[in-house]
Amino acid sequence: DTAVSQTPKYLVTQMGNDKSIKCEQNLGHDTMYWYKQDSKKFLKIMFSYNNKELIINETVPNRFSPKSPDKAHLNLHINSLELGDSAVYFCASSQVQGRDEQYFGPGTRLTVT
Amino acid sequence: AQKVTQAQTEISVVEKEDVTLDCVYETRDTTYYLFWYKQPPSGELVFLIRRNSFDEQNEISGRYSWNFQKSTSSFNFTITASQVVDSAVYFCAPAVSGGYNKLIFGAGTRLAVHP
């Protein structure tokens, strides 16, 4: 069984479009995250949610809006996509933020043309 | 600012060599957690180890071992008798309390193991 899943795996779109990435975890964890990995492999947290409540909101443009309908799901919606948004986006989950290991989804490679 | 440094950008070894990946971090916390992750060429992020700061015993798991030195804020990772399948980018990531215990990932060390 897949622990943390993301869809789609690849996303190619044009500048200005709006897109969403979905994430689901079946580990029963309370906390979920979104990370962005750039072309140099630098990995940075964007958001974290604990039981549907936003905990971390890094300095991410307002065009990025996470939504957590329940603690097993954390989706990422991006408005007005820009070239600089091209990256790999990882969803992750853990039980307690900062104490427990995080389990990552397979990643979504977003390419904005 | 609390940060983590993985000074080795790339390491290239021949199979069966031992290799150590360095990690040095800054933190104002007295207790904290540290993690290592592996990212193979396929792209997924794989959890390797979690260490809490109040346990300074070194840990060994098969060919992998970790040396934690709280006094020097280092958490180094050694692979013994490396194999081609160990080729990956390895990330060290301390959890920092000043940021709601978020993980701060180092820049990663790319390890290439050649046959």
Side-chain angles (χ1 to χ4, degrees), chain A residues 16-98:
Chain A
N17 285 349
D18 302 339
K19 290 294 178 185
S20 291
I21 307 171
K22 295 187 176 182
C23 178
E24 176 181 2
Q25 55 97 2
N26 62 7
L27 297 167
H29 288 161
D30 288 337
T31 309
M32 295 185 73
Y33 313 81
W34 277 110
Y35 286 86
K36 178 180 180 181
Q37 187 174 45
D38 64 22
S39 58
K40 296 184 178 178
K41 296 285 191 181
F42 184 64
L43 194 63
K44 192 171 190 299
I45 190 168
M46 301 172 69
F47 303 102
S48 77
Y49 270 75
N50 182 270
N51 275 318
K52 302 193 298 175
E53 182 183 344
L54 179 66
I55 301 298
I56 290 177
N57 182 347
E58 289 290 283
T59 49
V60 177
N62 290 338
R63 300 181 295 103
F64 290 79
S65 53
K67 284 188 173 54
S68 181
D70 55 62
K71 76 172 193 177
H73 296 84
L74 180 61
N75 303 324
L76 183 65
H77 187 76
I78 315 169
N79 290 325
S80 303
L81 278 155
E82 301 178 356
L83 292 176
D85 297 332
S86 295
V88 180
Y89 292 85
F90 286 97
C91 176
S93 74
S94 73
Q95 193 53 34
V96 176
Q97 182 167 308

Side-chain angles (χ1 to χ4, degrees), chain B:
Chain B
Q2 302 185 76
K3 65 178 184 180
V4 54
T5 301
Q6 293 182 255
Q8 304 140 310
T9 306
E10 293 190 29
I11 301 176
S12 182
V13 300
V14 177
E15 238 183 345
K16 298 184 184 176
E17 280 187 46
D18 298 348
V19 59
T20 295
L21 284 60
D22 298 331
C23 173
V24 175
Y25 56 91
E26 294 178 16
T27 181
R28 293 183 288 271
D29 301 330
T30 54
T31 58
Y32 46 89
Y33 289 86
L34 300 150
F35 302 83
W36 274 91
Y37 284 85
K38 172 183 180 179
Q39 188 172 38
S42 50
E44 72 272 24
L45 282 155
V46 179
F47 163 73
L48 293 178
I49 191 171
R50 178 188 77 157
R51 165 53 55 90
N52 61 54
S53 62
F54 45 89
D55 179 3
E56 290 207 51
Q57 278 198 337
N58 289 333
E59 187 149 347
I60 298 174
S61 175
R63 295 183 298 106
Y64 295 170
S65 62
W66 288 268
N67 181 271
F68 172 57
Q69 299 279 345
K70 193 171 183 178
S71 59
T72 57
S73 297
S74 66
F75 187 35
N76 298 335
F77 172 34
T78 297
I79 302 175
T80 302
S82 59
Q83 300 175 2
V84 173
V85 293
D86 295 327
S87 298
V89 179
Y90 291 86
F91 294 97
C92 175
V96 295
S97 66
Y100 295 95
N101 294 322
K102 67 183 178 186
L103 295 191
I104 303 295
F105 280 81
T109 296
R110 183 180 297 277
L111 174 65
V113 182
H114 303 284

